[in-house]
Amino acid sequence: MALLRVRELKRHYDVRLPGGLMGRRAKLKAVDGISFDVEKGKTLGLVGESGCGKSTTAKLVLGLIPANAGSITFDGKPVTASHDAAWRAMRRRMQMIYQDPLGALDRRLPIADQIGEPLVIHEPGLAASYRRERVAELMAAVGLRRDQAGSYPHELSGGQRQRVIIARALALSPDFLVCDEPVSALDVSIQAQVLNLLEDLRAKNGFASLFISHDLKVVRQMSNRVAVMYLGLIVEEGPPEAIFHDPMHPYTRALVSAIPTPARRGRRERIVLQGDPPNPVDKPAGCPFHPRCPSAMDICRTTPPKLIGHGPRRVACHLHDDAPETRLIAAE
Ligand code: ATP
Ligand code: SF4
């Protein structure tokens, strides 16, 4: 059974739009019925433009915000945002790495204290000497020097701060990491080092992860499967080789065509999408991608396509309605 199992998950927000005295009330469908599995020790990459619902998915999976509908199970147990003892026990097994390491760290505390903080909270009986040793091990594992233990976050570089965040996330030996844009705030030259570190740590420690990024190159490097999101929906999901070498959904094709790689130069033309993603408050009827889709047909304007298994992947697009269907994830 999958370690993380998400079924028909929805998160809608009540928002007020400009107009009238108080503004018009409307529903913003940030996540609008997504289903996926993450197997033990594997990484699912979640990719899509800004505002498609990636971070909302991360918060739902960790039980930081409640869902409006659908279910999440972690190791067979339901994940809710109840913040009770069961949730706390589960949260020590599921940790998060954030985009902005400085914002996630306490400026007034030396980094060793911050790395050891989860041990103080979750294992208060641990001897101080053992905790110090464990923090030293964690610092070494992420490539921080022992003599940096007393440093404050502002004394470190962006890459080193992200290493502190990673060490803290690993303090309790989690089974699952949610990485939300973990390198997008770093210099390009540092990004590769942090990604390689995450890969090494995953190989050594065997944790599974949900890896969120708007950058397809990064997602390709880090993931065993990739899910492409558009306006709160998964439109294509499958192994990276299939997604990147032979994308089936027109949106994935456009994203992949924009990756600047020497191998692709001259072979596939860049598909330039017209317009920005529509507002999730006023989602287009039918296929939500139809106003920007170069292949849109009449049916696309009226009937939402279902996410259907084709070979090793799932695709939501009427262009593939005739292809034989495969069942890739259990119905519930
Ligand atoms: P980004 O990379 O820019 O963070 P994202 O793909 O992670 O984008 P989300 O942050 O999940 O997207 O946001 C999805 C949609 O939900 C956006 O339209 C966003 O404005 C909206 N949204 C997120 N949080 C709230 C909230 N608390 N109240 C109202 N709308 C929200
Ligand atoms: Fe384009 Fe239609 Fe496929 Fe949507 S369903 S991606 S509009 S062809």
Side-chain angles (χ1 to χ4, degrees):
M1 189 210 265
L3 182 63
L4 180 78
R5 206 172 151 97
V6 170
R7 293 295 179 270
E8 293 302 326
L9 191 64
K10 291 188 183 179
R11 172 71 197 196
H12 296 170
Y13 291 106
D14 288 317
V15 290
R16 282 190 189 279
L17 301 176
L21 202 56
M22 296 283 289
R24 179 164 68 86
R25 291 174 70 94
K27 284 256 180 279
L28 186 153
K29 298 178 176 176
V31 171
D32 201 20
I34 60 171
S35 301
F36 59 84
D37 286 340
V38 184
E39 306 291 333
K40 271 195 179 113
K42 303 287 183 197
T43 296
L44 175 71
L46 203 53
V47 72
E49 287 161 295
S50 177
C52 69
K54 304 182 296 294
S55 295
T56 305
T57 304
K59 289 182 203 148
L60 288 165
V61 160
L62 291 165
L64 298 176
I65 55 172
N68 295 104
S71 66
I72 308 166
T73 48
F74 179 71
D75 208 8
K77 296 190 191 72
V79 177
T80 61
S82 57
H83 296 201
D84 56 8
W87 177 81
R88 283 194 295 278
M90 187 211 66
R91 276 291 275 121
R92 50 171 303 171
R93 300 179 59 195
M94 293 171 102
Q95 296 290 323
M96 171 104 177
I97 294 176
Y98 303 87
Q99 173 176 358
D100 169 22
L102 194 55
L105 290 169
D106 187 334
R107 287 157 197 258
R108 296 156 306 175
L109 274 186
I111 60 162
D113 290 2
Q114 306 201 47
I115 293 171
E117 203 173 29
L119 296 167
V120 175
I121 295 170
H122 291 278
E123 294 180 19
L126 215 60
S129 58
Y130 180 87
R131 197 166 57 236
R132 271 197 301 277
E133 203 38 52
R134 176 84 181 116
V135 168
E137 272 170 29
L138 287 161
M139 287 183 63
V142 300
L144 289 167
R145 297 190 314 272
R146 222 174 229 266
D147 63 282
Q148 289 176 309
S151 305
Y152 291 84
H154 66 270
E155 295 173 327
L156 303 179
S157 68
Q160 287 170 335
R161 285 196 283 262
Q162 196 55 297
R163 287 170 194 266
V164 174
I165 295 286
I166 295 169
R168 187 172 68 182
L170 295 181
L172 298 166
S173 307
D175 304 304
F176 193 83
L177 273 191
V178 175
C179 306
D180 191 357
E181 302 275 7
V183 295
S184 55
L186 304 178
D187 287 350
V188 175
S189 56
I190 308 295
Q191 289 188 357
Q193 292 173 16
V194 173
L195 292 174
N196 291 340
L197 171 67
L198 278 170
E199 270 191 309
D200 288 350
L201 291 169
R202 186 181 61 196
K204 275 192 205 124
N205 301 320
F207 52 79
S209 58
L210 181 65
F211 192 96
I212 294 173
S213 177
H214 65 281
D215 185 334
L216 268 82
K217 285 200 304 306
V218 168
V219 165
R220 177 166 56 184
Q221 178 187 344
M222 302 302 290
S223 313
N224 301 101
R225 287 187 78 85
V226 173
V228 180
M229 275 188 92
Y230 188 79
L231 278 183
L233 294 165
I234 292 176
V235 296
E236 182 160 6
E237 188 260 339
E241 332 56 275
I243 300 281
F244 291 102
H245 293 295
D246 180 26
M248 286 172 80
H249 194 284
Y251 179 59
T252 320
R253 274 188 217 149
L255 291 183
V256 170
S257 80
I259 304 177
T261 63
R264 186 166 294 108
R265 205 168 288 146
R267 207 156 49 81
R268 187 182 286 160
E269 265 188 37
R270 178 165 182 181
I271 304 164
V272 180
L273 286 177
Q274 302 303 315
D276 295 324
N279 188 330
V281 174
D282 280 320
K283 268 193 182 178
C287 170
F289 186 56
H290 85 251
R292 302 169 82 194
C293 180
S295 313
M297 306 167 283
D298 284 346
I299 186 176
C300 307
R301 290 176 247 283
T302 54
T303 312
K306 291 198 179 95
L307 187 65
I308 290 174
H310 298 297
R313 73 177 115 190
R314 296 180 295 153
V315 184
C317 173
H318 290 305
L319 289 175
H320 308 289
D321 280 351
D322 294 340
E325 185 176 340
T326 48
R327 180 161 287 288
L328 290 173
I329 61 171
E332 68 99 48

